[in-house]
Amino acid sequence: MVLDNIEKLLEKYENGETTLKEEQVLKNYFSSDTVAPHLEMYKPMFEYFLVNQQEQFTKDVPLKAKRIFNYKWISVAAVAVLMLGFYFNQPADDCNELGTYCEPEQALEEVSKQLAMISNHFNKGTQTVGYLNEVDKGTSTLGYLNEIENTTSIIFKN
C-alpha cells in the first residue's frame, strides 16, 4: 500500500503536480533505508535535495554598491573642453578660411558652376533610362489588343 502511494506520488512529481507536503513525503521515504529496489535510482536525487535544503549562504552582502566612476570629473572635463573650444575658435579675418566667399559675385559664380556640374551628371543618368519610352509604346499596343479582344467577345458572345 505504501509502495503504491509512493509510485503515484513519483508519477505526480515527474508531471510537476505535487504539493510541498507530498514532496516532503517523497524526501522522507527516499532518505530511509527501506527503499524498493526498482526505485533506487531516485534515491540520490532526493538525498541531494535534502542536503541542498540545509545549505546556507554565509558571505556578507554589501548594502552599498561601490561607485567605479566619479561623475564630478565629467563636469570638470566638459567645462575644460568648452573653454578650449571657445579659445581656439576665434573668428578669423580671412573670409576664405571656412570655405566662404567675401564677394557675393564670386559666391554666385561658384554656385552656378556647381549647379551646372550637377545638371550635367543628372542628364547623363536620364539618358540611360531612355528605353522606358519603348516600354510605353509596347503597353499602348497592348491596349489595342484589349480592344480587339473585347470586340471579338461581343461578336462571338463569349
Side-chain angles (χ1 to χ4, degrees):
M1 180 70 178
V2 173
L3 189 59
D4 251 357
N5 189 22
I6 294 296
E7 287 176 351
K8 286 178 186 177
L9 285 177
L10 270 176
E11 186 176 332
K12 282 178 66 177
Y13 181 80
E14 288 175 352
N15 292 331
E17 300 170 348
T18 55
T19 63
L20 292 176
K21 289 181 182 180
E22 292 171 337
E23 288 179 17
Q24 191 61 40
V25 169
L26 285 172
K27 288 177 187 177
N28 291 339
Y29 174 76
F30 285 106
S31 65
S32 68
D33 292 332
T34 58
V35 177
H38 68 283
L39 298 177
E40 283 287 328
M41 61 185 166
Y42 292 104
K43 190 171 182 172
M45 180 176 68
F46 284 101
E47 285 177 355
Y48 171 76
F49 292 149
L50 282 174
V51 171
N52 196 19
Q53 187 177 7
Q54 295 170 357
E55 288 182 2
Q56 289 184 351
F57 187 74
T58 58
K59 188 175 179 183
D60 291 335
V61 178
L63 298 177
K64 247 185 174 178
K66 292 182 181 179
R67 278 197 250 166
I68 296 173
F69 192 75
N70 192 352
Y71 291 102
K72 293 177 187 174
W73 289 106
I74 290 178
S75 60
V76 172
V79 168
V81 167
L82 286 174
M83 296 294 281
L84 288 173
F86 288 135
Y87 178 74
F88 286 114
N89 198 15
Q90 296 294 327
D93 295 333
D94 188 18
C95 290
N96 259 342
E97 184 177 307
L98 297 175
T100 60
Y101 296 98
C102 296
E103 300 295 324
E105 293 84 16
Q106 189 181 10
L108 178 65
E109 182 182 323
E110 189 64 30
V111 166
S112 299
K113 277 197 264 181
Q114 296 301 323
L115 289 175
M117 183 184 70
I118 290 170
S119 173
N120 230 358
H121 288 294
F122 183 73
N123 288 337
K124 286 180 187 176
T126 58
Q127 289 171 357
T128 59
V129 292
Y131 67 90
L132 291 177
N133 291 334
E134 298 298 322
V135 172
D136 289 339
K137 289 179 187 175
T139 54
S140 65
T141 306
L142 286 176
Y144 291 130
L145 290 175
N146 286 337
E147 288 179 25
I148 293 172
E149 185 178 338
N150 290 339
T151 308
T152 54
S153 66
I154 291 172
I155 292 172
F156 294 117
K157 297 180 183 177
N158 287 341

